[in-house]
Amino acid sequence: MLAIFNKGLVNPPEELHSPASLSSSSNSKLPVEILNDFLSSNPTNAFSIGFGAAASLAYVPPQRPCTTYQRLFCGVDEIYCIFLGSLNNLCSLLRQYGLSKGTNEAMFIIEAYRTLRDRGPYPAHQVLRDIEGSYGFVVYDGKAGSVFAALGADDGVKLFWGVAADGSVVVSDNLKVIKESCAKSFAPFPAGCLFHSEQGLMSFEHPRSKMKAMPRIDSEGVMCGANFRADVRSRISNMPRVGSEANWALGGSKA
């Protein structure tokens, strides 16, 4: 999967940018190049959807039924989700949200996101902590012009993010795609964390803790983005709530 978001839409943590990208032998690419390369490397079954200059989503369905994890794509009412992995407690979550048995993981994530956005009585971190399984997802809300991404705490699914040549944010489960797209300005997306375009990065396992950036050094001894983790010694003073009036105030680490 591949998701690209314009720098005016998403501002990642500053530590994701690496000065070494400017002098790297492999230059970072522009979004149109990244998307074209992804589609050309999967010519028979890849598809993409664009949202003007704001965002692009691309997806390759699993080629075999017994792949390591599911890849799902879904769009409902201008909310789009790419989902990787599986939810162990999907049936109980569907009952909790009043959804039909035929609802898959991507559809559920959209409904959970929409509930949080419009009328959610719970903080986003609590909703994610109720989910059991190995998963990662990216949601783009075309109406609100916002992005919501998360990665399960068990680290069973991998996601990576980085910064393209024009400052756009690139997210993929394919490390090769990220490396070729973002030069040295990339990192693993932190497990047990969520990111929202308006409020930044936070841990849903330790929602009261601030996020801390740890320098990453590659095999060449060059700084390469940053790893992010919850600093359990720090505390956020006010626990935010999620809802339309709260404006998705997640209280995370802003860029």
Side-chain angles (χ1 to χ4, degrees):
M1 59 79 71
L2 175 69
I4 306 173
F5 302 108
N6 183 277
K7 63 180 179 180
L9 179 68
V10 173
N11 292 311
E14 286 295 332
E15 295 87 353
L16 196 58
H17 296 260
S18 172
S21 287
L22 300 176
S23 57
S24 174
S25 57
S26 58
N27 297 325
S28 55
K29 300 176 181 178
L30 293 169
V32 65
E33 297 177 276
I34 299 170
L35 180 61
N36 288 340
D37 287 349
F38 182 85
L39 296 177
S40 63
S41 65
N42 301 278
T44 59
N45 57 351
F47 73 91
S48 66
I49 180 170
F51 305 90
S56 296
L57 300 176
Y59 169 78
V60 179
Q63 297 185 12
R64 300 185 306 277
C66 55
T67 52
T68 306
Y69 51 74
Q70 297 182 99
R71 289 191 183 99
L72 301 171
F73 177 85
C74 183
V76 179
D77 293 337
E78 296 187 52
I79 305 172
Y80 302 87
C81 175
I82 299 178
F83 179 93
L84 309 172
S86 61
L87 303 183
N88 298 336
N89 62 335
L90 179 61
C91 291
S92 63
L93 290 170
L94 296 183
R95 290 194 297 270
Q96 179 181 337
Y97 281 78
L99 301 174
S100 66
K101 291 183 179 180
T103 302
N104 66 27
E105 281 91 341
M107 296 165 64
F108 165 73
I109 293 297
I110 286 179
E111 291 304 322
Y113 165 81
R114 185 157 53 180
T115 298
L116 286 167
R117 183 194 66 182
D118 297 342
R119 57 187 183 278
Y122 307 113
H125 72 266
Q126 184 60 56
V127 172
L128 292 174
R129 289 175 71 177
D130 289 341
I131 295 175
E132 299 174 6
S134 298
Y135 65 89
F137 64 79
V138 177
V139 171
Y140 175 63
D141 184 339
K143 287 183 178 179
S146 60
V147 176
F148 179 41
L151 185 63
D154 72 349
D155 212 16
V157 172
K158 304 290 186 182
L159 281 181
F160 305 91
W161 59 344
V163 183
D166 67 345
S168 296
V169 172
V170 184
V171 184
S172 180
D173 63 328
N174 190 319
L175 179 57
K176 183 174 182 288
V177 169
I178 291 291
K179 283 184 175 181
E180 293 178 350
S181 303
C182 305
K184 299 295 184 180
S185 294
F186 75 93
F189 191 93
C193 290
L194 64 88
F195 177 85
H196 189 269
S197 51
E198 292 181 8
Q199 299 298 328
L201 182 68
M202 73 172 288
S203 167
F204 61 78
E205 284 199 299
H206 305 283
R208 291 187 178 274
S209 299
K210 296 179 180 179
M211 297 300 295
K212 183 177 182 179
M214 307 294 291
R216 291 178 62 244
I217 306 298
D218 67 8
S219 58
E220 300 173 350
V222 177
M223 185 174 292
C224 186
N227 288 321
F228 298 89
R229 65 174 179 82
D231 183 358
V232 295
R233 293 174 297 181
S234 67
R235 286 292 180 268
I236 297 171
S237 56
N238 296 317
M239 280 303 297
R241 309 294 290 182
V242 172
S244 56
E245 294 183 359
N247 192 30
W248 267 89
L250 300 173
S253 173
K254 298 179 71 174

